[in-house]
Amino acid sequence: MARRVVSRKDKVAEAEAAEAEKSAKKKKKTKTAKRKTKAKPATEVRMKMYWGVFSQSLKRIAVFEYDQKSEAEKRAAELSKGGKSPHFVQKVKEEVGIE
């Protein structure tokens, strides 16, 4: 059985062609890479605290400024008198609209 003679010139040409293919693929990958997007900074939402008067079914009846807690408690006591369902005072946070 005779062996096939391998030409060194052909082997060098094949190696160069394979190397050129690899570098072409690398260039394609870098061009098609996705851009990194900057994360949007979180907008700061301003909140304000109030006192809310609620019924037993969690329905908000009245809202008072934070420094008017005693008035809110009086209102809850008024609404609870006479055997009606009890009312209570609870803190409420609401967004402050930008003007």
Side-chain angles (χ1 to χ4, degrees):
M1 301 207 118
R3 289 189 177 179
R4 189 175 138 214
V5 179
V6 179
S7 171
R8 289 185 185 228
K9 288 182 182 179
D10 292 340
K11 282 289 187 183
V12 170
E14 285 178 26
E16 287 176 354
E19 194 174 305
E21 253 183 68
K22 285 182 184 178
S23 64
K25 285 183 182 178
K26 286 183 183 177
K27 286 182 183 177
K28 272 189 175 180
K29 286 183 182 178
T30 57
K31 287 182 180 177
T32 59
K34 289 185 178 180
R35 293 184 186 174
K36 291 184 180 179
T37 57
K38 292 183 181 179
K40 293 182 180 178
T43 57
E44 190 174 320
V45 178
R46 296 192 57 152
M47 303 293 280
K48 188 171 181 181
M49 186 78 76
Y50 295 99
W51 289 109
V53 178
F54 292 87
S55 67
Q56 193 172 15
S57 60
L58 298 177
K59 184 177 178 185
R60 188 165 66 182
I61 307 297
V63 178
F64 293 88
E65 292 291 329
Y66 190 76
D67 60 343
Q68 297 175 340
K69 183 177 180 180
S70 59
E71 294 172 21
E73 289 174 342
K74 287 178 187 174
R75 176 76 173 151
E78 281 177 22
L79 293 170
S80 298
K81 284 184 183 175
K84 296 180 182 176
S85 63
H87 289 73
F88 60 94
V89 177
Q90 185 175 341
K91 293 179 183 177
V92 178
K93 283 186 181 178
E94 288 187 356
E95 234 179 85
V96 176
I98 299 172
E99 296 175 3

